[in-house]
Amino acid sequence: MKETERHVKGLKACFESIDKKAQTQKCDAMGGLIEEGISIMEETQSGAVRNAGIIAAAQKVEHYEIATYGTLAAFAKVLEHEQTLKLLMQTLKEEKNATSY
């Protein structure tokens, strides 16, 4: 939770660095991934199979975040928003570390 809060602050800083106001918007794709994880928990019994399903669902979320931050970083690079790029690359690094095992 603390890492997510840090990422939200970082995203707000990205918007500030390009003189834009950050606005929240629901992501349908992420919502679908979360629903998939909930479904796995509801449809399986406690134990190894459920745990494996939860891990798989969580990895899908992390990989989606990695793809999103990577894309945003590419945009920042092309647009020469150096401060924004730096912030996004730090967040991208943290997201990649979350998938290390």
Side-chain angles (χ1 to χ4, degrees):
M1 187 65 165
K2 288 181 181 182
E3 184 175 281
T4 299
E5 289 171 359
R6 213 173 40 253
H7 292 171
V8 169
K9 287 180 184 177
L11 286 171
K12 287 181 180 178
C14 287
F15 279 95
E16 288 173 8
S17 75
I18 60 171
D19 296 322
K20 299 289 181 185
K21 184 179 181 217
Q23 296 178 354
T24 59
Q25 185 175 358
K26 183 179 184 285
C27 175
D28 292 334
M30 185 63 77
L33 292 173
I34 291 168
E35 284 186 31
E36 182 179 335
I38 291 168
S39 177
I40 288 168
M41 291 188 292
E42 292 173 346
E43 295 174 12
T44 57
Q45 294 180 352
S46 235
V49 171
R50 178 186 281 174
N51 291 345
I54 292 168
I55 291 167
Q59 282 199 325
K60 287 181 182 182
V61 168
E62 290 300 328
H63 286 280
Y64 186 82
E65 290 176 332
I66 289 167
T68 300
Y69 284 114
T71 300
L72 293 173
F75 291 160
K77 184 175 182 177
V78 168
L79 296 171
E80 299 180 353
H81 294 301
E82 296 302 321
Q83 181 61 26
T84 300
L85 177 59
K86 182 179 175 182
L87 292 165
L88 291 168
M89 291 303 293
Q90 177 59 39
T91 303
L92 179 60
K93 179 181 176 184
E94 290 173 8
E95 291 297 346
K96 286 181 178 181
N97 286 340
T99 63
S100 299
Y101 45 89

